[in-house]
Amino acid sequence: MRVRHALCSAVTALSALALLSACGSGATSAGSSSGTPLVGVDYPRSDTDFWNSYIKYTPQSAKELGLELKTTNSQNDVAKLTANAQTFISQGVKGVAMAPQDTAAIAPTLAQMEAKHIPVVTVDTRPDTGKVYMVVRADNRAYGEKACRFLGTKLGGEGKVAMLQGDLSSINGRDRTEAFNACMKKNYPGIKVFGEATNWDGAVAAQKLQTDLTANPDIKGIYMQSSFALSGSLQVLKQKGLLVGPKDKKHVFVVSNDGIPEELKDIAAGEIDATVSQPADLYAKYALYYLKAAIDGKTFKPGKTDHDSTIIQVRDGLLEDQLSAPLVTADGGTYGGVPSLKGDDKSLWGNNLG
């Protein structure tokens, strides 16, 4: 998992506050006695390969950008995220990056940060209400669209598909689900979709997939909205004798979402067929890039960026930098008008994770 007046006023207030602080204390920077700006990053969880990759990239990006880093982990719990935000405030951070998984419940924390003139960048998710300096995210509706186009093409517009949804309290789960369903209804009305809410839980996803395949053994496609479901789903297919190569008529076409190394290996092995590569490396890089920009008093407006993405205005006071997230397949072909990269393409972060 891309207006201006509100941002300008918020950043101006921040800059003024930083200037007054520096003048009053003789400090050389906003946030650290070493002269390096201090920022906080809350990791949303550390139980998936995708987020562990993000955690790995974050300190690297902080070092490259000249930022001092404080980190916490909210473990997919908005109450912990709220408490972690209070910790950051007490530590004197000058900006915070977070990835709230409950995009509605984070609103009071964002309001508190805004009142204290601490800019916030959200990563991967967009808050339902409230203002942040920038959202760093890929177009999650495009994720659902790309998965739909791939499966619709592979199934020839006919058959049954199981969709292992994320959490519908998350904007990501809603965007991927709504886009996938809308695309199927419009372009492949002959395909029946079984939508299963999983709360981003691999065990729940596996159990619901098993139930769907038992009741509908003719399911020929699976869209898992995140790699959290990868291991369990493949185990279910194996138990049912369906984990076979793409040339076997029993093959079930699988599209995942994240672009982790394991998915790329599974594509090469013919165990899954595609993924959408969500840029863990760029999430870390540009979350901190925008925090530094906020501290430096910079502003942005909608339009193309210099890093192959587009900033969009989501609503008044909220901009989103939509980073590139390509479809990845075994052959690098085009499916339903959607181009893809081959799974061994060296530009994919999942092929460069040392």
Side-chain angles (χ1 to χ4, degrees):
M1 56 225 181
R2 291 206 295 192
V3 222
R4 183 176 177 98
H5 298 300
L7 283 173
C8 289
S9 61
V11 173
T12 300
L14 173 65
S15 301
L17 182 62
L19 180 60
L20 287 172
S21 175
C23 291
S25 65
T28 58
S29 77
S32 169
S33 59
S34 66
T36 303
L38 177 65
V39 299
V41 176
D42 181 80
Y43 301 137
R45 55 198 303 172
S46 54
D47 58 348
T48 70
D49 289 345
F50 176 81
W51 284 114
N52 282 330
S53 298
Y54 172 77
I55 289 169
K56 177 190 176 194
Y57 284 119
T58 297
Q60 297 174 9
S61 295
K63 183 177 181 180
E64 291 168 2
L65 290 165
L67 297 171
E68 184 176 340
L69 191 62
K70 294 286 187 180
T71 64
T72 56
N73 192 321
S74 53
Q75 301 174 345
N76 205 25
D77 185 332
V78 71
K80 289 182 180 178
L81 176 53
T82 298
N84 291 344
Q86 302 306 312
T87 298
F88 286 144
I89 292 171
S90 69
Q91 291 172 332
V93 301
K94 300 304 174 184
V96 173
M98 62 174 68
Q101 302 298 285
D102 187 328
T103 52
I106 195 60
T109 299
L110 295 179
Q112 182 183 22
M113 292 292 197
E114 183 181 13
K116 292 183 176 295
H117 305 295
I118 300 174
V120 174
V121 171
T122 62
V123 182
D124 180 55
T125 62
R126 178 205 308 148
D128 294 356
T129 59
K131 295 179 181 179
V132 298
Y133 181 83
M134 183 68 74
V135 177
V136 174
R137 185 172 177 252
D139 183 351
N140 277 246
R141 293 192 67 85
Y143 292 0
E145 175 84 16
K146 290 173 182 179
C148 162
R149 293 288 184 172
F150 181 85
L151 289 176
T153 299
K154 285 294 189 180
L155 271 61
E158 300 288 339
K160 297 177 181 179
V161 168
M163 173 170 53
L164 304 178
Q165 301 163 328
D167 187 340
L168 298 185
S169 70
S170 162
I171 185 67
N172 289 354
R174 296 197 299 272
D175 275 358
R176 297 174 199 184
T177 297
E178 291 168 5
F180 186 83
N181 284 333
C183 171
M184 281 294 183
K185 182 177 180 180
K186 178 181 178 181
N187 300 290
Y188 310 105
I191 293 179
K192 180 175 177 59
V193 177
F194 298 91
E196 301 291 359
T198 70
N199 194 35
W200 308 118
D201 186 311
V204 173
Q207 182 271 316
K208 291 193 173 182
L209 177 60
Q210 175 127 14
T211 299
D212 282 345
L213 285 170
T214 299
N216 299 275
D218 54 344
I219 284 176
K220 298 299 291 182
I222 298 170
Y223 170 37
M224 56 182 74
Q225 291 188 0
S226 169
S227 58
F228 76 92
L230 182 65
S231 177
S233 296
L234 294 185
Q235 187 62 33
V236 169
L237 291 176
K238 183 177 182 180
Q239 290 171 355
K240 292 187 171 291
L242 300 174
L243 192 61
V244 294
K247 293 183 179 180
D248 191 308
K249 64 180 181 181
K250 293 191 297 181
H251 181 74
V252 177
F253 292 96
V254 178
V255 182
S256 189
N257 198 143
D258 277 340
I260 62 172
E262 192 62 31
E263 288 173 317
L264 302 183
K265 291 176 185 176
D266 288 341
I267 289 173
E271 295 191 341
I272 72 171
D273 303 273
T275 187
V276 179
S277 181
Q278 188 169 218
D281 55 341
L282 300 184
Y283 279 2
K285 177 178 180 177
Y286 287 103
L288 294 173
Y289 166 85
Y290 284 114
L291 283 186
K292 188 173 188 297
I295 294 168
D296 292 343
K298 296 179 180 178
T299 59
F300 297 88
K301 60 183 180 180
K304 294 289 186 181
T305 71
D306 61 359
H307 49 271
D308 191 31
S309 67
T310 302
I311 295 176
I312 66 168
Q313 180 178 323
V314 178
R315 57 179 181 264
D316 185 39
L318 191 67
L319 296 179
E320 177 173 305
D321 187 355
Q322 295 191 325
L323 303 177
S324 176
L327 178 68
V328 181
T329 63
D331 63 1
T334 297
Y335 294 88
V338 177
S340 69
L341 296 178
K342 290 187 68 172
D344 60 0
D345 193 297
K346 296 304 181 186
S347 69
L348 296 169
W349 69 268
N351 286 324
N352 297 298
L353 193 62

